[in-house]
Amino acid sequence: MKKHLLITCSFFLLLSFRGFSQSNPEKKYCPSIGLQVKALQISNEQEAIAPSLFFKSTYVNNPEKSFSFGASAYPSLTCSPSTNEGTVMFGAELPLALEMHFNNIENLYRYHNVIDYPTFFIGFGATAGFYFIREHEDINGIGPSFFLGGSLPFLRGLFGYRGSMSYFGKSLQATLGLYYEIGS
């Protein structure tokens, strides 16, 4: 009798946990491409501005919810033909982030046949990168990053905005960018 009672209680306990868990979560991959401007601290009193092209690769778990988790990578390339001192000649960066996404578009634009996508995110992660700077010491290393951004529907697509702060190679860096979702 105790054996049957234990099996029955275990079965109901597992069913109750299944109700609270994300047993069959939906996932969405959101690739985007964009342009950004990065401000790099190259010495105590000097900064460099570096425009660059970036790819946003985001994977969101349960995007239909008003709160969901995601992971993103934002690889970027910078190249400048300028001969001015303090110009970033070439740079590459790979920021990785774990993100929290809030407020999906379907709830905000319920009657406009808009695809479901989070409109605001905040994330923390790490950035690895290097920058070759004309007539200055190069910046390279790995360090912590903070990300903030979101997206808005425009015509038949989604435009997004993204900002980040990172610190590596004894350089504090700020980035502002705009992107367009190219597929899902």
Side-chain angles (χ1 to χ4, degrees), residues 12 45 54 111 123 145 162:
F12 284 120
E45 298 178 8
F54 75 96
Y111 305 108
S145 294
R162 178 182 84 88

Side-chain angles (χ1 to χ4, degrees), residues 42-81:
I42 57 177
S43 67
N44 288 338
E45 298 178 8
Q46 284 189 314
E47 293 86 25
I49 304 296
S52 61
L53 179 68
F54 75 96
F55 181 75
K56 178 181 180 286
S57 178
T58 301
Y59 181 77
V60 180
N61 190 26
N62 284 332
E64 79 282 352
K65 304 293 183 191
S66 61
F67 173 78
S68 57
F69 289 101
S72 292
Y74 302 99
S76 66
L77 287 175
T78 300
C79 186
S80 177

Side-chain angles (χ1 to χ4, degrees), residues 19-38:
F20 291 112
S21 71
Q22 297 175 354
S23 60
N24 204 2
E26 290 186 30
K27 299 166 183 75
K28 184 174 182 184
Y29 175 66
C30 309
S32 304
I33 192 161
L35 297 171
Q36 66 184 8
V37 175
K38 179 174 269 294

Side-chain angles (χ1 to χ4, degrees), residues 2-136:
K2 289 182 181 180
K3 185 177 178 180
H4 294 292
L5 183 61
L6 182 61
I7 291 173
T8 305
C9 290
S10 299
F11 177 74
F12 284 120
L13 182 64
L14 287 174
L15 284 179
S16 68
F17 281 143
R18 183 178 174 182
F20 291 112
S21 71
Q22 297 175 354
S23 60
N24 204 2
E26 290 186 30
K27 299 166 183 75
K28 184 174 182 184
Y29 175 66
C30 309
S32 304
I33 192 161
L35 297 171
Q36 66 184 8
V37 175
K38 179 174 269 294
L40 298 108
Q41 179 185 9
I42 57 177
S43 67
N44 288 338
E45 298 178 8
Q46 284 189 314
E47 293 86 25
I49 304 296
S52 61
L53 179 68
F54 75 96
F55 181 75
K56 178 181 180 286
S57 178
T58 301
Y59 181 77
V60 180
N61 190 26
N62 284 332
E64 79 282 352
K65 304 293 183 191
S66 61
F67 173 78
S68 57
F69 289 101
S72 292
Y74 302 99
S76 66
L77 287 175
T78 300
C79 186
S80 177
S82 176
T83 59
N84 295 335
E85 179 185 348
T87 300
V88 174
M89 295 184 332
F90 180 77
E93 198 171 295
L94 179 61
L96 301 173
L98 294 176
E99 300 169 340
M100 296 176 285
H101 295 262
F102 305 95
N103 296 332
N104 59 1
I105 285 177
E106 186 176 332
N107 289 342
L108 298 175
Y109 298 93
R110 190 168 297 156
Y111 305 108
H112 295 311
N113 194 22
V114 175
I115 59 174
D116 190 20
Y117 192 85
T119 59
F120 179 75
F121 66 87
I122 185 170
F124 300 95
T127 299
F130 63 89
Y131 289 94
F132 299 115
I133 301 170
R134 187 175 300 280
E135 300 178 20
H136 281 279

